[in-house]
Amino acid sequence: MADRPTSKKPSPKKSPKNKDIARAWQRMLSGRRLDLLEPSPLDVEIEDIAHGLSRVARWNGQTSGDWAFSVAQHSVLVDDLAGRLRAGTAHKWRLAVLLHDAPEYVIGDLITPFKAAVGIDYKALEERLMQAVLLRFGLPGALPEEIQHLIKKADRAAAYLEATQLAGFERDVADHIFEPPPKKIYDRGPITLHPLPPHAAKRLYLERFMRHAPKGLHPPLPADVETADTTGGAIGDGQDTRD
């Protein structure tokens, strides 16, 4: 089990005598209670993130295939693309790339039009959760601008690939909305996406986390994913990362 910080569990905010008090925390399978309004890094666990993201569907589930294309698998794809776009990126920054959508294990994957409709309050909540995740795994709460740019570039490329291969977008429409990916990402060969079942996506995400994270943070693989087949879940990212 990965080294776990300890924290005092908040007192439940509901009681039989006052059931109308709003609850702003979520209980995770690890037993942690994550306060959504004031998230603490002490209550963030990679097993919870991997489990949640493996069950959150990209594109609101409107994708082809037997399985939804999960946020966990999308995160690995973005990491792969970042490796193709900028070989030699340090492991800690590749970890930041992998974690770029980690808050969605709590708040789900809202499609871009809905995020725009919800407005700034949603963005502020997402940013607080993201900061807690980054700090939990030894990363700065505010990433360097060049890493933010790399994440955005790889994320956009992933969206284009998903849109055209899985979500039914015609290429001319995708070219206008997402812009075609840089030709550089195809230097290592063509990219074909294969949606994985949740337990396989969870294993893929955890294994990628362990590639980039310090050994002291490595979790054991949970029993439910030990035999999961992750074939086709990664596209190859150029493993010449450096510290």
Side-chain angles (χ1 to χ4, degrees):
M1 183 65 65
D3 293 341
R4 297 177 183 273
T6 58
S7 67
K8 184 178 180 181
K9 293 182 179 179
S11 300
K13 296 182 180 180
K14 280 189 176 182
S15 69
K17 295 181 179 179
N18 192 351
K19 296 182 179 181
D20 295 328
I21 297 177
R23 174 171 63 88
W25 54 266
Q26 179 178 347
R27 186 193 187 282
M28 304 298 171
L29 285 179
S30 65
R32 297 287 185 186
R33 288 182 179 180
L34 184 65
D35 188 321
L36 305 188
L37 300 180
E38 297 182 12
S40 168
L42 299 175
D43 293 320
V44 174
E45 298 292 350
I46 191 59
E47 297 96 323
D48 293 330
I49 294 173
H51 184 81
L53 295 186
S54 72
R55 299 178 180 219
V56 176
R58 291 274 291 171
W59 307 93
N60 275 352
Q62 298 299 308
T63 50
S64 58
D66 293 335
W67 306 99
F69 192 77
S70 69
V71 176
Q73 194 172 350
H74 162 79
S75 298
V76 173
L77 172 62
V78 173
D79 180 49
D80 283 340
L81 294 175
R84 291 189 176 201
L85 288 169
R86 204 179 85 169
T89 300
H91 282 291
K92 70 175 184 177
W93 301 130
R94 290 287 295 276
L95 178 60
V97 175
L98 180 70
L99 294 169
H100 79 281
D101 276 340
E104 294 178 9
Y105 87 109
V106 178
I107 57 180
D109 181 26
L110 296 186
I111 58 175
T112 299
F114 192 73
K115 287 183 180 179
V118 171
I120 194 169
D121 287 343
Y122 170 84
K123 191 65 178 177
L125 174 64
E126 186 178 41
E127 288 176 353
R128 286 195 294 270
L129 286 166
M130 187 74 256
Q131 184 177 54
V133 169
L134 293 173
L135 293 174
R136 168 65 178 93
F137 300 115
L139 295 164
L143 296 174
E145 187 173 335
E146 62 177 324
I147 301 304
Q148 294 182 44
H149 178 72
L150 177 63
I151 291 172
K152 184 174 293 187
K153 197 171 184 179
D155 198 27
R156 286 176 176 171
Y160 182 93
L161 294 169
E162 294 167 18
T164 54
Q165 293 189 32
L166 301 174
F169 281 69
E170 294 82 6
R171 287 194 176 274
D172 59 338
V173 176
D175 288 350
H176 177 70
I177 297 176
F178 306 105
E179 75 185 44
K183 293 181 179 180
K184 185 176 182 179
I185 71 166
Y186 300 108
D187 288 349
R188 291 176 57 84
I191 298 170
T192 304
L193 305 183
H194 301 283
L196 297 174
H199 64 295
K202 180 178 177 179
R203 174 169 184 155
L204 184 72
Y205 190 90
L206 287 172
E207 288 179 337
R208 186 58 60 87
F209 174 85
M210 289 188 281
R211 178 190 296 184
H212 297 318
K215 288 186 177 180
L217 296 174
H218 289 193
L221 285 179
D224 64 330
V225 304
E226 283 185 345
T227 60
D229 182 4
T230 61
T231 304
I235 64 170
D237 64 341
Q239 296 181 29
D240 55 337
T241 54
R242 63 173 180 266
D243 292 320

